[in-house]
Amino acid sequence: MSDRFIVEFDKALRTLFAPAQTMREVPGSGKPEGGLSAAEKAHAGALMRVNHVGEVCAQALYQGQALTCRDPVIRQALAQAAAEETEHLAWTERRVAELGSRTSLLNPLWYAGALTIGITAGTLGDPWSLGFLAETERQVEAHLDHHLNELPTQDARSRAIVAQMRLDEIAHAETAALLGARQLPAAAIFAMRIAARTMTRAAYYI
């Protein structure tokens, strides 16, 4: 148990304080920087900071769900999805820096909250945990669609990152459905949307 705690604590520290790593090439890295005005650059940086927060939360959610998962097949699927989310973390972290912005000062708070939610979802049983995962990814897909509309058209690098993240999130939702995700009650879905909206608005500025 103590070894497991050390491993999980190390994951948290790496997510919050160490540069994330990626096996895949950063999407859009070969594209030239667009001619962004100061205001456009600040807006794009804030949007990518929000996306980085989402990836911090994804790491914590998957970690919490894996800790309470009962099925080894599902646990392996969660680990695979978490690895892709780590790449998203690296991509957004890099892009935030390129835009001259910073990551959220509240990342430890976002991480702790998401970890608690992930553990809670997992204790309800694997089908409900997968249902929570699938709905989370659907909402993230909608959020990324919104950001593709919000990002400056000439910011090809940010747009390429967001577009690839969107494809990966769709795949994660489909995997959860195939593994037996249950449909969440409407009230739970509504509460998730309110919580996500609150987080994104705060992360845009802080």
Side-chain angles (χ1 to χ4, degrees):
M1 182 64 70
S2 61
D3 288 346
R4 183 72 180 275
F5 175 80
I6 291 171
V7 169
E8 299 303 328
F9 187 65
D10 180 67
K11 288 181 182 178
L13 291 178
R14 288 177 182 274
T15 298
L16 293 171
F17 302 114
Q21 304 298 314
T22 178
M23 297 296 291
R24 288 181 286 178
E25 182 180 358
V26 180
S29 59
K31 298 181 181 294
E33 283 286 2
L36 301 176
S37 67
E40 288 172 333
K41 194 172 183 179
H43 181 52
L47 292 177
M48 295 308 288
R49 174 167 56 249
V50 171
N51 291 327
H52 182 267
V53 166
E55 299 309 323
V56 168
C57 290
Q59 290 297 306
L61 283 170
Y62 279 116
Q63 183 181 5
Q65 288 177 292
L67 281 169
T68 50
C69 181
R70 298 162 178 78
D71 188 323
V73 174
I74 295 176
R75 191 180 302 115
Q76 179 58 39
L78 291 172
Q80 176 60 38
E84 292 183 356
E85 300 289 0
T86 300
E87 294 189 315
H88 297 174
L89 190 69
W91 301 347
T92 52
E93 181 182 276
R94 172 173 166 174
R95 189 58 188 151
V96 165
E98 289 175 346
L99 290 165
S101 192
R102 55 162 177 78
T103 56
S104 175
L105 300 175
L106 300 178
N107 275 342
L109 176 63
W110 304 132
Y111 188 95
L115 180 63
T116 301
I117 293 171
I119 291 173
T120 302
T123 57
L124 297 176
D126 291 341
W128 287 114
S129 180
L130 288 169
F132 177 80
L133 171 58
E135 179 58 32
T136 297
E137 299 293 23
R138 292 188 195 105
Q139 292 190 20
V140 171
E141 178 192 352
H143 160 82
L144 294 175
D145 280 336
H146 175 68
H147 275 204
L148 284 172
N149 290 326
E150 281 283 310
L151 283 165
T153 55
Q154 65 271 38
D155 187 2
R157 289 192 175 190
S158 296
R159 296 178 67 84
I161 290 171
V162 172
Q164 184 57 55
M165 286 167 56
R166 177 181 176 277
L167 293 176
D168 290 343
E169 308 301 1
I170 291 172
H172 296 165
E174 291 174 347
T175 298
L178 289 173
L179 289 172
R182 286 187 181 176
Q183 177 64 35
L184 297 185
I189 294 173
F190 178 75
M192 290 170 65
R193 287 175 179 163
I194 295 299
R197 193 174 303 165
T198 301
M199 182 198 74
T200 55
R201 286 179 177 174
Y204 184 90
Y205 297 103
I206 305 174

